[in-house]
Amino acid sequence: RPRLSKGGLFDRGCGRGWPAIVKVVILAGGLGTRISEESHLKPKPMITIGEQPILWHIMKYYSSFGFHDFVICCGYKGHIIKEYFADYYLYRSDVTFDFSAENRMTVHENVAEPWRVTLVDTGLNTQTGGRIKRVQKYIGDEPFMLTYGDGVGTVDLNALLEQHRISGKTVTLTGIQPGGRFGVLDLEGQTVTGFREKAKEDGGWINGGFMVMEPEVFGYLSADESCILERTPLEALAREGKLGIYKHNGFWQCMDTQRDKIWLEDRWNKGNAPWRVW
């Protein structure tokens, strides 16, 4: 069977055909209406914590585990995300512009990430399931990781991936317990059997993102913009016993509102950001 090795890489072996490098898909195309104070100017994943977008924080976290190959699902104001990465190398380096006859630019002490980033326009109003289906050609017939572009945490990504591999599930999501304002998951052991919408706080688990998916999941998705991953596709997988959960009891926080953004930024500025492991 495949063996997990350093840096999020897999040694090939028998079993489910694990790729040597696992790609990370990030959903970054939503409108972010509940944080409209800033999202009217930029996509929600580009709202900053400290001086960098939360998208950067998420990618740095995955990269610290050795996951460097990203496919980002763009939508609302996606050009801002593309411009950020187009200029990333320039903005994070010391530069000399020589406007004399040579008219050249010299980069000094450049800062580079070990990233490969594919940015895909998946539509302005496309829902989560449709966005994933629309990037299928960039993923291929391989297992991949998926997360939302507005949440950070201290999830052990290698442990998540290993549990998924052993479980034989089509999808494994990370379950967290943040409070009572989210819908909760019904569980039997490490299998999700159903969903309950907007339940009051009862110790229930919710989907915190940080998912692992087999390519079979594309058979449950449609490229139609109305396809919502968390509805029909995951509900069908739950009924069939193919949806697993990795329970995370550590830090997790989404940036759903301006209040969340301020709280996360305060943690970052005070040097008390648990997700900063790089």
Side-chain angles (χ1 to χ4, degrees):
R1 76 177 39 162
R3 299 174 298 282
L4 187 65
S5 60
K6 183 178 179 181
L9 305 182
F10 278 84
D11 297 320
R12 290 186 181 273
C14 63
R16 303 180 70 174
W18 282 97
I21 298 176
V22 179
K23 294 181 180 179
V24 180
V25 178
I26 303 178
L27 293 166
L31 298 177
T33 54
R34 283 184 283 187
I35 192 169
S36 58
E37 297 92 337
E38 296 196 47
S39 64
H40 73 287
L41 297 172
K42 63 184 73 172
K44 187 178 179 183
M46 294 303 293
I47 296 174
T48 58
I49 299 173
E51 296 181 351
Q52 293 295 334
I54 191 170
L55 177 62
W56 176 88
H57 290 260
I58 295 167
M59 294 173 68
K60 289 287 284 187
Y61 186 77
Y62 271 92
S63 190
S64 72
F65 282 83
F67 302 103
H68 306 309
D69 196 336
F70 298 94
V71 178
I72 300 179
C73 302
C74 302
Y76 173 69
K77 294 187 180 295
H79 67 281
I80 295 177
I81 300 177
K82 293 179 180 179
E83 289 169 358
Y84 173 78
F85 285 104
D87 295 331
Y88 185 86
Y89 181 77
L90 180 63
Y91 285 158
R92 296 183 63 81
S93 306
D94 296 332
V95 183
T96 296
F97 293 96
D98 186 348
F99 296 108
S100 63
E102 295 185 358
N103 192 23
R104 67 181 180 182
M105 179 183 74
T106 304
V107 179
H108 312 278
E109 299 180 4
N110 63 82
V111 177
E113 306 286 357
W115 297 345
R116 183 177 186 269
V117 185
T118 302
L119 301 159
V120 185
D121 182 359
T122 55
L124 176 62
N125 298 310
T126 311
Q127 299 294 329
T128 50
R131 294 191 191 282
I132 300 166
K133 183 69 172 179
R134 292 182 183 191
V135 299
Q136 181 177 359
K137 65 180 179 180
Y138 297 103
I139 298 170
D141 190 29
E142 299 177 342
F144 62 97
M145 304 186 83
L146 171 77
T147 197
Y148 301 106
D150 63 354
V152 291
T154 56
V155 178
D156 186 334
L157 298 178
N158 284 336
L160 163 65
L161 204 55
E162 180 71 358
Q163 180 183 301
H164 173 79
R165 182 189 65 78
I166 293 171
S167 73
K169 302 295 185 184
T170 301
V171 172
T172 299
L173 56 80
T174 294
I176 52 102
Q177 295 178 296
R181 64 190 181 103
F182 297 88
V184 299
L185 307 175
D186 293 320
L187 306 177
E188 288 182 7
Q190 292 183 342
T191 298
V192 180
T193 59
F195 294 78
R196 285 179 285 129
E197 293 291 328
K198 301 297 182 184
K200 295 181 179 179
E201 173 58 27
D202 60 359
W205 296 83
I206 73 154
N207 177 11
F210 297 95
M211 294 174 258
V212 187
M213 298 185 168
E214 295 295 320
E216 289 82 1
V217 75
F218 290 115
Y220 293 80
L221 302 174
S222 166
D224 187 273
E225 68 177 21
S226 65
C227 178
I228 302 174
L229 170 69
E230 300 79 5
R231 300 284 177 84
T232 302
L234 290 190
E235 289 172 352
L237 287 166
R239 288 193 301 269
E240 296 170 14
K242 298 178 180 179
L243 180 60
I245 183 172
Y246 173 81
K247 294 181 178 179
H248 173 63
N249 293 300
F251 176 85
W252 179 90
Q253 180 63 48
C254 66
M255 190 177 65
D256 205 35
T257 65
Q258 187 70 10
R259 179 180 179 182
D260 295 333
K261 179 260 197 302
I262 293 170
W263 186 84
L264 286 167
E265 191 160 43
D266 183 64
R267 296 288 294 266
W268 179 263
N269 292 336
K270 290 180 177 178
N272 186 27
W275 69 92
R276 185 174 186 173
V277 296
W278 56 90

